[in-house]
Amino acid sequence: MKKYLVMAMRTPGFDAAVLQPHKDFLKQLSERGHLVESARFTDGTGGAYFIAAENLDAARELAFADPVHTTGSSDVTVYEWEPTTPN
């Protein structure tokens, strides 16, 4: 499995009521072995999480099921994460 960074940036239509469903979604991802790590941004603009998936399409399918995305409360973007080790 590869690792993917999911950026969830709040839209002007953000609704705080989506936070609990979002947390429940992340818990489900964790229970299924997909969530690696998650965090919110302290400036209140959104957050990010790492997921493990077979490929970019699978990662997008997971991330786009997030309630912050399906409700339009956040713009969700998925990036393949390829860490490099400094020489």
Side-chain angles (χ1 to χ4, degrees):
M1 289 233 220
K2 294 181 179 180
K3 192 185 289 187
Y4 297 87
L5 172 64
V6 179
M7 299 285 295
M9 303 305 295
R10 293 180 177 180
T11 65
F14 178 79
D15 180 357
V18 77
L19 290 176
Q20 190 57 54
H22 168 67
K23 290 176 183 179
D24 295 342
F25 170 79
L26 293 177
K27 182 179 178 190
Q28 291 171 356
L29 282 183
S30 179
E31 290 169 350
R32 292 173 31 211
H34 290 288
L35 183 66
V36 177
E37 187 173 17
S38 65
R40 67 179 184 89
F41 300 139
T42 59
D43 65 1
T45 59
Y49 52 95
F50 285 102
I51 55 176
E54 290 295 324
N55 55 51
L56 183 57
D57 288 337
R60 285 183 176 142
E61 184 176 336
L62 290 170
F64 293 163
D66 188 333
V68 296
H69 175 74
T70 61
T71 63
S73 286
S74 296
D75 290 324
V76 171
T77 310
V78 181
Y79 301 93
E80 186 171 343
W81 189 258
E82 189 176 278
T84 59
T85 306
N87 293 333

